[in-house]
Amino acid sequence: MNSNHPPLLICLAGPTASGKSAASMALAQRWPIELIVMDSATIYRGMDIGTAKPSAQEQAQVPHHLLDIRDPAQSYSAAEFARDAAALAQDIRRRGRIPILCGGTMLYYKALREGLNELPGADPAIRQALDEEARARGWPALHAELARVDPATAARLAPNDSQRLQRALEIWRGSGRVMSDWLARPPQPVLPGWQFLTISLEPSDRAALHERIAQRYQSMINAGLLDEVRALRARADLHPGLPSIRCVGYRQLWDHLDGRASLDQAITQAIAATRQLAKRQITWLRSLPQRVSVDCLSDQAVPEITRHCARALDA
């Protein structure tokens, strides 16, 4: 790295099952990198199989930061990630090593790159209450409630956008201030002066990625994911309103253990939810005006990623 250039942060981003981890391990063979994991699920201890958490061997080969930093009963916000990742990137660079972001939680990247408005933290009790109300009344009824107190936010949300509706109502009920008020203040950057290189792993064939997702989830089931979820469910302090249990692939098996779905139904639902997650990730990435797109299904994906990194790092 040329010390006369602005500091650089490379991000390997992509949908689930796009090969981000394999690419990052290949980069570690060439440069002294440290990974800042950008994933809202691998932060949780005891949630290893269903999050495809890097193995002990992979973690021994290259430092991984922000893994296992929260108990499943706790929450972790995009704002917290932005502060933690910024501090890590600066520390890694000070030590003469190269920080690389790797993951698929796009809100985390948005918070780090653009800054994020400060919002109240998650409130599991309010979330659980909203889940129960939604089951009884439906999300469109809760959307109508939001429209009465915060019409600006409601206008940009679909009546069945459960995740965003829940967050907006959670903020209103918990703080007494609507989300549009909280968002009125402009976000503050957390890495001023840094350059960002976004390498986006995107599939040339959506059906092929879908097949990868199905195969990977079945492999997780074979590896003992149901037992992992069963152990979480045995804890009295965990419930479906928590961000950890809402993770794709976990909530569906929790519902199965609660008797609301057969195992086959839960697996089918989990795969469908994971595909929907991948679709949202791809849509977000393709909206970025500055990104380097790499076909994650190509056998030349890793060499191409390496070339892009070399041009940026060796400049």
Side-chain angles (χ1 to χ4, degrees):
M1 292 184 295
N2 189 327
S3 59
N4 294 322
H5 291 175
L8 173 71
L9 187 58
I10 293 172
C11 177
L12 295 182
T16 183
S18 60
K20 298 181 293 293
S21 295
S24 65
M25 298 307 294
L27 297 181
Q29 301 300 313
R30 175 162 178 171
W31 292 286
I33 71 169
E34 296 189 22
L35 296 175
I36 301 172
V37 182
M38 187 176 67
D39 191 299
S40 61
T42 57
I43 61 171
Y44 294 113
R45 295 185 288 272
M47 295 175 59
D48 302 331
I49 299 172
T51 64
K53 194 172 290 180
S55 67
Q57 180 181 3
E58 289 171 329
Q59 294 184 49
Q61 290 175 351
V62 57
H64 288 67
H65 299 278
L66 301 183
L67 294 178
D68 298 323
I69 60 172
R70 289 291 187 275
D71 182 85
Q74 300 173 312
S75 61
Y76 187 65
S77 70
E80 289 175 302
F81 170 83
R83 288 191 292 267
D84 292 345
L88 283 165
Q90 291 164 336
D91 180 61
I92 293 167
R93 181 176 168 84
R94 276 195 297 267
R95 291 188 280 104
R97 298 177 66 81
I98 299 169
I100 292 186
L101 281 173
C102 183
T105 301
M106 301 296 103
L107 180 61
Y108 282 7
Y109 190 41
K110 177 180 173 67
L112 180 62
R113 182 167 180 163
E114 301 176 12
L116 195 73
N117 303 83
E118 194 68 34
L119 295 173
D123 188 318
I126 295 177
R127 289 191 172 189
Q128 185 173 19
L130 287 165
D131 276 338
E132 292 170 358
E133 289 181 41
R135 281 194 290 270
R137 301 165 53 203
W139 284 109
L142 292 178
H143 183 271
E145 177 184 327
L146 180 65
R148 288 192 293 273
V149 298
D150 188 2
T153 299
R156 60 181 177 83
L157 299 182
N160 284 304
D161 190 344
S162 59
Q163 184 175 355
R164 291 177 176 83
L165 284 171
Q166 183 190 60
R167 181 60 174 145
L169 286 167
E170 173 193 28
I171 288 172
W172 159 244
R173 293 187 182 182
S175 71
R177 291 176 56 197
V178 297
M179 178 178 275
S180 55
D181 286 347
W182 285 95
L183 296 179
R185 297 176 62 184
Q188 298 297 313
V190 293
L191 280 174
W194 281 61
Q195 290 186 336
F196 289 79
L197 170 63
T198 307
I199 300 177
S200 177
L201 282 68
E202 302 171 18
S204 55
D205 182 348
R206 192 75 62 91
L209 180 66
H210 286 180
E211 183 58 29
R212 271 194 190 183
I213 288 170
Q215 291 174 355
R216 188 169 78 157
Y217 194 74
Q218 189 59 57
S219 296
M220 291 174 176
I221 294 293
N222 297 341
L225 177 56
L226 185 59
D227 287 335
E228 188 171 85
V229 177
R230 187 177 285 114
L232 295 168
R233 186 171 171 271
R235 289 181 46 173
D237 60 338
L238 300 183
H239 56 80
L242 291 166
S244 57
I245 308 306
R246 293 172 67 88
C247 287
V248 168
Y250 283 84
R251 177 62 182 270
Q252 292 80 13
L253 292 182
W254 190 289
D255 285 347
H256 161 65
L257 293 172
D258 278 349
R260 289 196 287 271
S262 69
L263 180 57
D264 285 345
Q265 288 172 329
I267 291 173
T268 298
Q269 292 164 0
I271 292 171
T274 307
R275 289 171 174 170
Q276 286 298 312
L277 171 62
K279 180 181 179 180
R280 292 193 299 272
Q281 292 169 317
I282 293 168
T283 298
W284 192 94
L285 284 165
R286 288 179 175 170
S287 72
L288 290 178
Q290 295 179 329
R291 80 186 195 284
V292 176
S293 178
V294 173
D295 181 6
C296 66
L297 302 176
S298 168
D299 57 5
Q300 291 300 304
V302 170
E304 187 176 351
I305 290 167
T306 303
R307 286 195 296 273
H308 288 303
C309 290
R311 282 197 289 268
L313 293 170
D314 299 338

